[in-house]
Amino acid sequence: MATVVGSVCLPNPVMTASGTAGYGLELAQYMDYSQLGAVVVKSLAPYEWAGNTPPRLHPVPAGMINSVGLQGVGLGRWLQEELPSLVEAGARVVVSIWGRTVHDYATASEMLSDLDGEAANAVVAVEVNVSCPNHQDRGRMFSHSAVATSDVLAATALCGIACWAKLSVTGNLTEIASAAIEAGATGLTLINTLLGMVIDTEARKPVLGGGGGGVSGAAIGPVALRAVYDVHAAMPEVPIVGVGGIASGVDAVAMLMAGASAVQVGTATFADPRAPIKVLMGLQHWCEQHKIASVQDLVGVAHG
């Protein structure tokens, strides 16, 4: 079940997804974190951030929409209060970072470059969330622009840890993915949530406090699968982590066949906090049934 995402070796390809498993041991009562390939923590800025006004979550057909607004305790506080517990639990940790400016990302990168000892060994990668508003570009997402994406990855690649650019389906995805890799990303996480909205027809206004939000869950599964497939076809040498709509072992198999080397389980965790482990067990069972010697043999096979 072992896999490789660029320079990162993992015992299996199943991780949590950022924003769905908290900062630390929130789900530890449901699973042994050391059994997962890695635990991806909620996105952190180099400062505390309040996020959007409530309500922040709402169900949609085959998924959910959220407008949490990247609320967070800040990277410095997380390093002191939460990372030690993850280290003690034996988790391999992927730190998700975000910012409003390129300087924010550079600051977060600098903070992570100072890790040492067990913490340095536990943090296997940094997931750079560029699917958030760029306050230097009239609020457009960084990932809407190849140039802005490149600037962010160039700033974060200096941390000395493997960097995965987390992108959404916006603009020319392959062009933006290529810009991220050229700027120093060692892999890609595809995809982030898709922009959406729900209207309260009685109140005649958006349901969520932040207006629109990000759609996730089974509803975006086919979109995520297509994004991974297209990017792998264009850049087969680039490691991809597939995320979006994965709730079973078969879902994970499909994502690997599309070109992902690993997968993340997110929204399914809200319905069943054991979902990541169940996906892992389902993937392993599928491989045993189909006599797959190594899970890496599945990567990209749908391309023929």
Side-chain angles (χ1 to χ4, degrees):
M1 295 297 285
T3 192
V4 177
V5 182
S7 61
V8 180
C9 300
L10 300 173
N12 66 72
V14 179
M15 315 178 207
T16 59
S18 177
T20 61
Y23 300 110
L25 300 180
E26 286 89 339
L27 299 182
Q29 61 180 308
Y30 302 106
M31 69 184 84
D32 179 352
Y33 279 23
S34 68
Q35 291 182 356
L36 294 174
V39 173
V40 186
V41 301
K42 192 177 186 300
S43 292
L44 295 153
Y47 40 75
E48 189 170 353
W49 187 250
N52 290 333
T53 56
R56 295 177 167 186
L57 300 175
H58 193 78
V60 298
M64 60 176 275
I65 185 170
N66 90 84
S67 180
V68 174
L70 294 162
Q71 175 191 352
V73 298
L75 183 57
R77 182 174 165 188
W78 177 81
L79 288 169
Q80 291 182 345
E81 299 179 5
E82 301 289 354
L83 179 56
S85 63
L86 288 167
V87 171
E88 187 175 352
R92 286 157 293 278
V93 181
V94 176
V95 184
S96 177
I97 61 172
W98 75 279
R100 295 174 292 167
T101 65
V102 173
H103 181 262
D104 288 344
Y105 287 95
T107 301
S109 174
E110 184 177 354
M111 294 169 72
L112 291 171
S113 68
D114 292 333
L115 294 177
D116 57 16
E118 292 183 330
N121 292 330
V123 175
V124 297
V126 177
E127 187 172 82
V128 186
N129 180 3
V130 288
S131 305
C132 46
N134 177 0
H135 284 213
Q136 295 166 307
D137 188 19
R138 302 181 303 279
R140 290 203 315 158
M141 287 187 181
F142 287 94
S143 62
H144 285 186
S145 162
V147 173
T149 297
S150 178
D151 289 344
V152 168
L153 268 298
T156 54
L158 301 176
C159 68
I161 307 171
C163 288
W164 304 340
K166 186 170 185 178
L167 306 176
S168 192
V169 181
T170 54
N172 187 327
L173 178 58
T174 301
E175 177 186 349
I176 294 168
S178 179
I181 295 298
E182 290 176 5
T186 60
L188 304 168
T189 300
L190 304 174
I191 60 175
N192 210 328
T193 58
L194 302 179
L195 293 177
M197 177 178 279
V198 177
I199 299 288
D200 183 335
T201 53
E202 295 300 319
R204 304 186 181 188
K205 65 179 183 179
V207 168
L208 298 175
V215 179
S216 63
I220 74 166
V223 180
L225 199 65
R226 176 61 183 268
V228 170
Y229 187 93
D230 287 351
V231 173
H232 180 76
M235 299 183 289
E237 74 287 353
V238 173
I240 297 173
V241 178
V243 54
I246 296 175
S248 70
V250 173
D251 293 336
V253 170
M255 194 66 83
L256 294 171
M257 288 182 172
S261 297
V263 301
Q264 295 177 358
V265 181
T267 300
T269 307
F270 289 104
D272 182 354
R274 296 179 176 85
I277 288 294
K278 289 183 176 180
V279 168
L280 175 58
M281 293 173 61
L283 173 60
Q284 185 169 2
H285 179 66
W286 191 96
C287 289
E288 290 171 352
Q289 279 191 318
H290 293 79
K291 297 181 170 54
I292 303 298
S294 169
V295 73
Q296 294 183 77
D297 294 339
L298 295 174
V299 177
V301 299
H303 294 260

